[in-house]
Amino acid sequence: GQQVMQIPQYQHVQEGEDFTTYCNSSTTLSNIQWYKQRPGGHPVFLIQLVKSGEVKKQKRLTFQFGEAKKNSSLHITATQTTDVGTYFCASYGGSQGNLIFGKGTKLSVKP
Amino acid sequence: NAGVMQNPRHLVRRRGQEARLRCSPMKGHSHVYWYRQLPEEGLKFMVYLQKENIIDESGMPKERFSAEFPKEGPSILRIQQVVRGDSAAYFCASSLTGERSPLHFGNGTRLTVT
């Protein structure tokens, strides 16, 4: 079945540094979604990318979808302590419509 | 506009007992997904349901686990004869139209098997 591989698994940064997490697939993805889960919380939808080469921004967050629609990235500029959490990419797998999540990148930010 | 409601938030069961986890989707949502999450791990897909139908249960163990989403009432994830390995957070999510729709997650049920 379809899988999305996410790297790195963990990232520790100093507040103010940038952060990037990458999501890769061996197959072409119809779309990619990104979620954030705060410690002890539940996943919260951030954004969806559908088009090849698409770039979307939300304040300090920049989301990209690769030209071949096999990879995606989330970049945070000048991290803040409020960015702490685990960031997941996800894509709909197979023909059944279930959303498959990557293993996530856990971000910690040192003040 | 209430979000996805899951109950209970915490559930403690002894080995061999049954666990019933409930999920009420957002108003107007007819697609429900159940995920399992172990500490420090990702979200593992279990089952995808629409009203009265199981669409995909490929992530759910064949034995002891079952799920339903009746015409009336919440979706139920049922685990029979629980074992310690079932201890995890179980998240329910709902979406409006299925594929390409964002998922809205509930707060989860933390199941502890003693």
Side-chain angles (χ1 to χ4, degrees), chain B residues 23-42:
Chain B
C23 169
S24 295
M26 282 184 71
K27 188 176 181 181
H29 286 193
S30 60
H31 300 255
V32 166
Y33 304 75
W34 285 93
Y35 289 85
R36 170 187 157 117
Q37 186 175 43
L38 292 170
E40 303 295 314
E41 291 194 11

Side-chain angles (χ1 to χ4, degrees), chain A:
Chain A
Q2 181 165 284
Q3 289 187 349
V4 284
M5 308 302 291
Q6 206 172 339
I7 56 171
Q9 190 174 358
Y10 301 95
Q11 187 78 57
H12 309 280
V13 300
Q14 193 77 34
E15 189 173 21
E17 291 182 337
D18 292 356
F19 158 76
T20 305
T21 173
Y22 300 90
C23 188
N24 298 294
S25 171
S26 58
T27 59
T28 302
L29 303 171
S30 59
N31 59 26
I32 194 98
Q33 296 183 359
W34 286 92
Y35 292 78
K36 176 184 178 180
Q37 184 177 24
R38 292 182 187 275
H42 60 277
V44 174
F45 173 77
L46 295 176
I47 209 154
Q48 176 170 263
L49 304 171
V50 178
K51 299 176 184 175
S52 168
E54 190 169 13
V55 178
K56 287 188 177 180
K57 293 191 176 186
Q58 289 179 351
K59 297 183 180 177
R60 294 177 296 104
L61 277 62
T62 301
F63 304 85
Q64 289 190 317
F65 202 7
E67 293 290 341
K69 299 182 74 173
K70 289 186 176 181
N71 57 75
S72 181
S73 65
L74 158 59
H75 179 81
I76 302 178
T77 304
T79 54
Q80 301 175 358
T81 54
T82 53
D83 296 324
V84 163
T86 301
Y87 293 84
F88 294 98
C89 63
S91 187
Y92 281 96
S95 59
Q96 302 285 8
N98 54 302
L99 192 64
I100 304 298
F101 282 77
K103 290 189 182 294
T105 296
K106 186 173 182 179
L107 173 66
S108 61
V109 179
K110 189 175 181 181

